[in-house]
Amino acid sequence: MTDTKVVTRNTREIALDILIEILEKGDFSHTLLNRTLKTYSDLTKQDRSFITRLVEGTLERLLTLDFYINSYSSVKVGKMKPLIRTLLRLSVYQLKYMDQVPDSAVCNEAVKLAGKRGFKSLSGFMNGVLRNIARNTKEDYHSLEQKDRIGYLEVAYSTPRWMIEKWLKEYSYETVKGMLAAQFEESRGTTVRVNQSVNTPEELLEILKKENIAAAKGIYNDTALKLLNYETMDAIKAFSDGRFTVQDESSMLIGFISDVKAGDYIIDVCAAPGGKSLHVADLLKGSGKVDARDLTEYKVSLINENIARLGYDNIEACCMDAKELDEESVGKADIVIADLPCSGLGVIGKKPDIKYNMTEEKQKELIKLQREILTTVSQYVKEEGTLIYSTCTVNKDENLDNVEWFVRNFPFQLESIEKYLPENISSDTKQMGYLQLIPGIHNTDGFFMARLKKLKCL
């Protein structure tokens, strides 16, 4: 991408190319969108917001959009040319979920863009499909709920059927419905953690106010704030100055249930981009040491960027494969944090492409990986030390099933986390040593955590 492209391409075309890279070539939505917006530096704030809404909205509603297109097209979505199906999807998203542009203009712009990209012969097809969809004002998938509840949830909440079937075996229909609906909350904002080594939450709120950044206090802890109106994180001076870092409240709870004590040695085995490592380093108040480890140099560079920005000197990052045993660490750590690779289905509200890329086969492989890593890293925990296991998913087989397998096979036992957690988190399992946060019930990402104590050898 060059500066010339900034001038010659409109916002819809930029969104189209981003979506093609994500949907047809497998790029990651959150990184590609941020990278592209940085490249097109001449865009106005309004244009950047339009592109972001169009890309994220199309991804969030993909299966719903395909339902509409397949209902009015003689050629099904799967048989279309990649550019045509992507252009139809983003255009239908505008028709159904965005009011800024008249329907006629959406249809005309789609036809023009198809012609510009070499598909002028399909102008009549594009125009016919979009105008038929525009004329249909009825939410015609709602009738599905009476005869096929899973099919209704699949279309209404744009989530693959296998996922819904899996969750319905573990949760009630209403819980699953609420969990699916939560991914579309428009006022989600960005949750950040205050860097207490340089400012209090009250001080940061005043600083953000001077930057014209709207912020509200967190729900579950005093060091969390939610930012509600900003263009890019890098443009916020308080962020560049290290006064806060991006971290969901669910993730912050890991620091609290770790029960960090002055002088502790902590190993975070899958740390990037470093949120939990940085939090426990902050809680140590300059004492102790945190080893933040991850698999690649790129991931370690992300941790190091955050360490430098926040200014902590009791944390180091290094490149290490969590599956490979580090002999020098055996029996050394007071606390091991194992927030392991998972299906990520608790954060589909932030990364909607995850739900389309995950499969049952991939998820089963992840469970094997989680158990392999736990087998290795549990050896780093001292006798009577603590292992924190967590994931950002809601699947029982990656969460509680893994914990139960672990305590059957290793000298660890669950410890109550009730005293470390806010009273306003509703859960019947805190005393049992674990917590499953569920979107739609809790005001956080979907997230699982468990605290395990290593037993003393007899």
Side-chain angles (χ1 to χ4, degrees), residues 221-272:
N221 82 79
D222 295 336
T223 61
L225 299 177
K226 184 163 285 191
L227 308 192
L228 302 172
N229 71 323
Y230 64 94
E231 190 169 347
T232 64
M233 192 61 66
D234 290 339
I236 302 174
K237 186 175 184 300
F239 177 75
S240 300
D241 290 345
R243 295 185 175 278
F244 68 86
T245 192
V246 176
Q247 188 176 15
D248 193 73
E249 284 200 74
S250 58
S251 174
M252 293 180 215
L253 296 176
I254 295 301
F256 299 131
I257 71 166
S258 296
D259 190 27
V260 173
K261 294 178 175 60
D264 275 349
Y265 173 48
I266 301 169
I267 300 175
D268 187 349
V269 296
C270 297

Side-chain angles (χ1 to χ4, degrees), residues 164-450:
I164 296 168
E165 291 174 339
K166 181 179 182 63
W167 290 337
L168 285 172
K169 292 175 183 176
E170 300 171 8
Y171 304 104
S172 70
Y173 179 80
E174 290 305 319
T175 296
V176 172
K177 191 174 181 180
M179 188 162 58
L180 293 171
Q183 66 184 295
F184 301 112
E185 291 176 0
E186 292 187 4
S187 59
R188 192 177 294 119
T190 301
T191 305
V192 303
R193 179 181 59 78
V194 179
N195 181 359
Q196 295 184 91
S197 69
V198 296
N199 49 205
T200 66
E202 291 71 26
E203 288 169 341
L204 180 57
L205 282 169
E206 284 301 313
I207 291 167
L208 290 170
K209 186 177 180 181
K210 290 176 183 176
E211 287 197 59
N212 296 314
I213 305 293
K217 290 191 174 182
I219 297 169
Y220 298 124
N221 82 79
D222 295 336
T223 61
L225 299 177
K226 184 163 285 191
L227 308 192
L228 302 172
N229 71 323
Y230 64 94
E231 190 169 347
T232 64
M233 192 61 66
D234 290 339
I236 302 174
K237 186 175 184 300
F239 177 75
S240 300
D241 290 345
R243 295 185 175 278
F244 68 86
T245 192
V246 176
Q247 188 176 15
D248 193 73
E249 284 200 74
S250 58
S251 174
M252 293 180 215
L253 296 176
I254 295 301
F256 299 131
I257 71 166
S258 296
D259 190 27
V260 173
K261 294 178 175 60
D264 275 349
Y265 173 48
I266 301 169
I267 300 175
D268 187 349
V269 296
C270 297
K276 300 170 193 66
S277 298
L278 294 160
H279 189 197
V280 291
D282 196 7
L283 292 171
L284 284 169
K285 299 181 179 179
S287 72
K289 183 184 177 185
V290 181
D291 273 345
R293 304 173 176 181
D294 220 305
L295 182 61
T296 66
E297 293 293 348
Y298 171 70
K299 288 185 174 183
V300 171
S301 72
L302 296 178
I303 303 170
N304 278 324
E305 285 175 14
N306 283 318
I307 292 172
R309 186 173 54 81
L310 294 172
Y312 301 140
D313 57 13
N314 60 344
I315 175 172
E316 291 182 2
C318 67
C319 192
M320 193 172 292
D321 185 347
K323 301 192 305 294
E324 302 294 329
L325 183 67
D326 174 30
E327 296 284 354
E328 293 184 2
S329 298
V330 173
K332 299 287 180 62
D334 297 288
I335 300 167
V336 169
I337 297 173
D339 183 63
L340 300 189
C342 70
S343 59
L345 300 180
V347 294
I348 56 177
K350 295 175 179 174
K351 302 175 182 178
D353 45 320
I354 287 176
K355 61 186 175 181
Y356 311 120
N357 294 329
M358 185 52 55
T359 65
E360 290 182 88
E361 292 72 25
K362 286 181 183 178
Q363 203 241 338
K364 288 175 183 176
E365 287 301 313
L366 282 166
I367 295 168
K368 292 180 184 177
L369 175 62
Q370 289 154 358
R371 295 187 178 189
E372 183 179 357
I373 293 175
L374 283 172
T375 299
T376 299
V377 304
S378 62
Q379 298 177 63
Y380 304 153
V381 184
K382 291 178 178 178
E383 285 188 4
E384 299 189 291
T386 300
L387 172 67
I388 303 295
Y389 174 62
S390 63
T391 73
C392 57
T393 195
V394 292
N395 294 339
K396 183 173 178 286
D397 47 8
E398 293 180 70
N399 296 336
L400 183 58
D401 287 357
N402 268 347
V403 170
E404 291 177 341
W405 164 83
F406 183 72
V407 296
R408 284 197 305 269
N409 291 281
F410 298 88
F412 284 80
Q413 66 182 18
L414 284 161
E415 278 195 322
S416 173
I417 55 176
E418 186 171 30
K419 65 181 178 181
Y420 309 118
L421 294 174
E423 291 183 1
N424 59 343
I425 290 183
S426 59
S427 172
D428 296 329
T429 67
K430 291 186 283 188
Q431 283 189 329
M432 299 165 66
Y434 67 92
L435 173 66
Q436 177 70 68
L437 296 168
I438 300 173
I441 294 177
H442 305 98
N443 292 291
T444 69
D445 293 335
F447 201 88
F448 176 84
M449 65 195 73

Side-chain angles (χ1 to χ4, degrees), residues 6-241:
V6 175
V7 177
T8 60
R9 303 171 79 198
N10 63 33
T11 52
R12 190 175 284 99
E13 189 172 8
I14 293 171
L16 172 66
D17 285 336
I18 293 172
L19 285 165
I20 288 173
E21 290 294 322
I22 295 167
L23 295 172
E24 304 296 338
K25 300 181 183 180
D27 210 328
F28 294 109
S29 62
H30 58 294
T31 54
L32 179 60
L33 182 58
N34 290 336
R35 191 166 69 241
T36 304
L37 292 178
K38 285 182 181 179
T39 300
Y40 288 94
S41 56
D42 291 355
L43 291 168
T44 65
K45 182 177 180 179
Q46 183 177 5
D47 284 343
R48 295 164 71 87
S49 296
F50 176 81
I51 292 168
T52 300
R53 170 82 188 278
L54 192 51
V55 170
E56 291 182 346
T58 301
L59 290 172
E60 286 176 348
R61 299 284 185 180
L62 191 67
L63 300 186
T64 314
L65 303 176
D66 286 355
F67 174 86
Y68 284 120
I69 295 167
N70 286 334
S71 297
Y72 292 92
S73 172
S74 56
V75 180
K76 300 308 177 188
V77 169
K79 299 290 186 181
M80 294 176 182
K81 299 285 186 183
L83 185 136
I84 294 300
R85 65 170 160 248
T86 306
L87 184 51
L88 280 172
R89 284 164 167 170
L90 70 85
S91 299
V92 175
Y93 180 77
Q94 283 187 273
L95 294 174
K96 291 295 182 182
Y97 300 101
M98 296 177 73
D99 300 324
Q100 297 97 319
V101 183
D103 290 353
S104 58
V106 173
C107 298
N108 291 338
E109 286 297 318
V111 169
K112 276 195 231 174
L113 192 45
K116 180 180 177 182
R117 302 297 281 266
F119 292 95
K120 192 172 182 180
S121 62
L122 294 177
S123 295
F125 167 76
M126 293 277 297
N127 191 55
V129 171
L130 290 174
R131 291 191 183 278
N132 278 331
I133 292 173
R135 283 193 289 267
N136 174 57
T137 58
K138 188 173 68 171
E139 297 283 5
D140 44 8
Y141 56 74
H142 280 147
S143 59
L144 285 172
E145 191 165 22
Q146 301 305 315
K147 54 186 179 183
D148 179 8
R149 295 203 305 178
I150 296 176
Y152 165 73
L153 293 177
E154 179 183 20
V155 174
Y157 300 106
S158 189
T159 301
R161 189 180 187 95
W162 75 266
M163 266 178 220
I164 296 168
E165 291 174 339
K166 181 179 182 63
W167 290 337
L168 285 172
K169 292 175 183 176
E170 300 171 8
Y171 304 104
S172 70
Y173 179 80
E174 290 305 319
T175 296
V176 172
K177 191 174 181 180
M179 188 162 58
L180 293 171
Q183 66 184 295
F184 301 112
E185 291 176 0
E186 292 187 4
S187 59
R188 192 177 294 119
T190 301
T191 305
V192 303
R193 179 181 59 78
V194 179
N195 181 359
Q196 295 184 91
S197 69
V198 296
N199 49 205
T200 66
E202 291 71 26
E203 288 169 341
L204 180 57
L205 282 169
E206 284 301 313
I207 291 167
L208 290 170
K209 186 177 180 181
K210 290 176 183 176
E211 287 197 59
N212 296 314
I213 305 293
K217 290 191 174 182
I219 297 169
Y220 298 124
N221 82 79
D222 295 336
T223 61
L225 299 177
K226 184 163 285 191
L227 308 192
L228 302 172
N229 71 323
Y230 64 94
E231 190 169 347
T232 64
M233 192 61 66
D234 290 339
I236 302 174
K237 186 175 184 300
F239 177 75
S240 300
D241 290 345

